[in-house]
Amino acid sequence: MISASVDNDPPRHPLGARPVPTPNSTPRPAGSAGWWRDAVIYQVYVRSFLDSTGDGIGDLAGVGAGLPYLKRLGVDGIWLTPFYPSPQHDHGYDVADYHDVDPVYGDLDAFDRLVRDAHRLGLKCLVDIVPNHCSSRYPLFLQALTEGPGGPTRAMFHFASGRGDDGALPPNNWHAMFGGPAWTRVTEPDGTPGEWYLHMFTPEQPDWNWREPTVRGNFEQTLRFWLDRGVDGFRIDVAAGLFKHPDLPDSPDPEADERTRDSVNPLAWNQPEIHEVWRDWRAICEEYTAGDGNDRLLVGEVSVPTAADQARYVRPDELHQAFFFHLLNAPWDAAAFQNVITDALRDIAATGSTITWVLNNHDQVRAVTRYAAPTPSQDADLPDPGGARARAAALLMLALPGAAYVYQGEELGLPEVIDLPDEALTDPIFRRTGSRLRVRDGCRVPLPWSGQASPFGFTAGDAPGRPWLPQPEWFANHTTERAIADTDSFWHLYHEALHLRRNLPQLGEGPLRWLDSPPDVLAFVRGDGLVCAVNFGDRQAPAPVTGTPLLTSRPCPPGILPGNTAAWWICEHCTA
Ligand code: GLC
């Protein structure tokens, strides 16, 4: 049973931390300036959250209906994945109109209602903006195709002549992130094979040419369009992309670029010019903040090799936050976790910004499944090591200084659905890698809300349509209804941790100090006296402090931190 009481035992701990005053547990003020610095934002994958129309696809009204659930969970706001008009080749990350809502998700009135309702509940609302590429159905791209070579609109994309006889080979050797070459050849208006255009993802997602001033101006208008509708900020897709090397030269190591989906082609990502754009966008946000005192937030999907690379994106006049994917990518191993946390504290926190922790998102295998696989547990009494580890990782993440993002279903302990039939898969990566990589559908299966059978309350109506991805029978064990009724559930762990995080000043911004601990155990103290310890091993270890923990990810016998478990304590004599 998880306990949530403050330690009244006499102060005594084996780690030699110096005595400090009793922690002050006055709740932190929920001010508007800087609200994002330690906020916890819930990622809503709109398509899979809640379907209000009965067509089997989630929508904005469904998100609105779920807001009280999110408020109760205790998050500070939501990030909505793209809901714009789109042919859905990459589920909305192929945008055909940046200023509207796809009818499948609702309309602008539904959007406005959602923002109003979120604000009424005190929840912030972020939208996703996709500036690296648009849809091949975007009107300007269609116009560029019609114009033919040399047309002014072609300059807004990357059109180039091919190489080899008759230009039949792509202009360079770059690979697309989702498989295959990064170039597609077009048929010109006169019917002849013509130029090629660049797409770092699918051919249905042509990359914008950010060296063209109109592109920059158009996106600034898009920011203002949504800020004027009341959004609190933007999650920026592919935020290390946008600019390509001006000469589009061959990559010296194209195989390396292709090796993993997240590998970085240094000629296509992370170009120095990108920082000017983030400075402009930050200035626009500041303009709105100056109007009403509410900070607007820019959080970037910045996939770059090191924490030091990432730090350059969150300098004081650039992005407020950048997802720190190194934590998500770390294997279940104490040293690996400690290294990525140490790097982030050294490099990112040093910018004066905040570290933005994340364990799950809509592009990654869910943590419960990820942590089960690489190091099977030797502990026969632990039937679900992935679940136990994901619970422990959640307590670790929520005790770290900075902000955190929780992906829908993470609070239910949803495992990945690994056995979706091939014909159900919709992720373009599957199709474009010759059915080799089944990566992203399994974490996008519509959420289970209630009941014993699909659609598990996901879809409304008397004759509900089938959810767009099939839900397995075992989702019955993970419905929100069941999770809320079971005080030992993942949901209650997140709920309790979020509640404590909001009320304990130690868990806000501020220092972290590592405590000495046995191998396999990480222990640190936050502020004046909040200790978090995680045992990554299978064997139990002595608890790093005495007394009853405030919160544990699994039951802890007195003085013991079992394997694959995390706990928080108040320790009056510990300080960071
Ligand atoms: C980002 C999104 C991903 C999308 C890709 C292309 O990585 O998170 O879902 O497919 O960008 O827009």
Side-chain angles (χ1 to χ4, degrees):
M1 176 62 200
I2 293 157
S3 63
S5 58
V6 177
D7 176 14
N8 290 322
D9 287 0
R12 194 166 62 81
H13 67 90
L15 297 164
R18 61 199 161 81
V20 291
T22 305
N24 157 18
S25 61
T26 315
R28 286 175 289 136
S32 288
W35 60 265
W36 46 273
R37 296 189 68 91
D38 56 7
V40 178
I41 302 290
Y42 186 94
Q43 180 190 352
V44 177
Y45 195 70
V46 177
R47 211 177 162 73
S48 299
F49 185 73
L50 189 54
D51 164 22
S52 73
T53 62
D55 65 356
I57 299 176
D59 48 52
L60 294 180
V63 180
L67 288 175
Y69 163 79
L70 298 177
K71 180 69 186 173
R72 182 169 173 195
L73 178 62
V75 295
D76 299 297
I78 55 174
W79 144 33
L80 301 169
T81 54
F83 48 76
Y84 315 109
S86 160
Q88 307 289 340
H89 284 288
D90 189 16
H91 293 322
Y93 286 97
D94 46 328
V95 180
D97 180 350
Y98 288 94
H99 298 168
D100 207 345
V101 174
D102 194 300
V104 90
Y105 300 127
D107 55 21
L108 282 171
D109 286 342
F111 177 81
D112 291 342
R113 254 193 315 278
L114 174 57
V115 174
R116 264 200 313 274
D117 290 349
H119 286 168
R120 208 172 288 137
L121 289 171
L123 296 170
K124 304 288 185 186
C125 184
L126 311 181
V127 296
D128 216 311
I129 188 165
V130 188
N132 182 68
H133 46 265
C134 59
S135 157
S136 53
R137 308 303 300 165
Y138 192 88
L140 285 172
F141 187 73
L142 295 175
Q143 191 178 322
L145 292 179
T146 320
E147 270 172 4
T153 320
R154 286 216 174 177
M156 296 176 73
F157 299 92
H158 295 281
F159 278 88
S161 303
R163 301 198 285 198
D165 292 343
D166 302 325
L169 297 173
N172 71 22
N173 64 358
W174 294 2
H175 289 292
M177 300 287 282
F178 291 173
W183 296 90
T184 291
R185 193 170 196 187
V186 304
T187 303
E188 299 298 359
D190 64 3
T192 56
E195 290 189 319
W196 297 71
Y197 68 89
L198 179 72
H199 50 83
M200 293 308 295
F201 293 87
T202 70
E204 292 83 13
Q205 294 165 295
D207 280 40
W208 290 107
N209 175 9
W210 273 82
R211 297 183 193 278
E212 173 61 40
T214 327
V215 170
R216 206 150 159 164
N218 287 353
F219 272 98
E220 293 186 6
Q221 277 179 24
T222 298
L223 287 185
R224 291 180 188 281
F225 178 87
W226 295 105
L227 287 167
D228 289 342
R229 297 195 100 89
V231 305
D232 299 287
F234 300 89
R235 177 267 186 187
I236 305 169
D237 193 56
V238 192
L242 280 58
F243 285 86
K244 278 71 195 177
H245 188 290
D247 304 329
L248 302 175
D250 270 343
S251 166
D253 190 2
E255 302 321 314
D257 303 339
E258 195 182 36
R259 218 157 12 238
T260 75
R261 183 159 53 89
D262 294 321
S263 64
V264 173
N265 171 347
L267 302 164
W269 308 130
N270 207 11
Q271 300 291 298
E273 296 88 339
I274 187 70
H275 299 284
E276 291 164 26
V277 175
W278 303 145
R279 289 193 186 101
D280 288 351
W281 286 27
R282 178 71 175 247
I284 292 174
C285 287
E286 301 297 342
E287 199 185 301
Y288 280 77
T289 299
D292 61 12
N294 278 330
D295 275 357
R296 307 305 195 280
L297 165 65
L298 298 173
V299 52
E301 184 201 26
V302 177
S303 298
V304 286
T306 66
D309 293 325
Q310 203 182 61
R312 291 188 297 120
Y313 286 76
V314 292
R315 288 177 287 196
D317 57 350
E318 298 197 34
L319 305 179
H320 302 77
Q321 299 179 336
F323 296 121
F324 190 65
F325 293 124
H326 297 71
L327 186 73
L328 187 158
N329 291 327
W332 182 249
D333 173 79
F337 268 64
Q338 186 166 30
N339 286 342
V340 298
I341 295 167
T342 306
D343 288 353
L345 292 171
R346 185 193 56 231
D347 293 329
I348 297 175
T351 62
S353 180
T354 189
I355 307 167
T356 304
W357 307 102
V358 52
L359 291 170
N360 291 282
N361 68 31
H362 66 293
D363 294 330
Q364 304 290 340
V365 172
R366 286 188 180 274
V368 168
T369 304
R370 247 175 26 234
Y371 294 143
T375 46
S377 171
Q378 306 305 313
D379 179 352
D381 294 334
L382 187 61
D384 174 21
R389 292 166 181 169
R391 290 172 68 102
L395 280 199
L396 168 71
M397 175 175 81
L398 293 173
L400 292 172
Y405 283 68
V406 172
Y407 174 49
Q408 68 181 35
E410 180 176 331
E411 82 284 12
L412 302 174
L414 269 190
E416 185 83 357
V417 183
I418 51 172
D419 53 0
L420 288 166
D422 284 5
E423 59 281 8
L425 300 180
T426 63
D427 180 1
I429 296 179
F430 181 66
R431 193 168 29 88
R432 295 193 57 75
T433 56
S435 311
R436 194 165 45 86
L437 293 177
R438 307 164 63 91
V439 205
R440 303 188 300 174
D441 288 292
C443 64
R444 298 175 176 181
V445 177
L447 283 190
W449 290 85
S450 58
Q452 295 298 320
S454 181
F456 297 110
F458 165 72
T459 289
D462 294 336
R466 275 209 289 223
W468 69 278
L469 280 173
Q471 298 164 305
E473 281 172 20
W474 51 261
F475 262 32
N477 301 327
H478 296 274
T479 61
T480 60
E481 183 182 57
R482 192 161 165 169
I484 291 171
D486 172 7
T487 52
D488 286 343
S489 68
F490 260 83
W491 194 90
H492 281 277
L493 182 72
Y494 272 84
H495 177 255
E496 195 63 43
L498 291 170
H499 175 79
L500 288 171
R501 196 179 145 98
R502 175 160 299 166
N503 285 286
L504 293 174
Q506 297 91 332
L507 290 175
E509 289 209 81
L512 174 155
R513 184 169 64 81
W514 295 107
L515 300 174
D516 290 339
S517 53
D520 281 345
V521 174
L522 288 188
F524 56 84
V525 56
R526 294 293 324 284
D528 284 348
L530 189 292
V531 170
C532 171
V534 188
N535 185 350
F536 288 78
D538 280 338
R539 275 195 292 273
Q540 68 178 44
V545 288
T546 55
T548 310
L550 268 184
L551 186 60
T552 67
S553 65
R554 293 174 64 212
C556 290
I560 298 291
L561 186 61
N564 301 296
T565 302
W568 293 355
W569 294 261
I570 291 292
C571 167
E572 297 187 354
H573 299 273
C574 307
T575 186

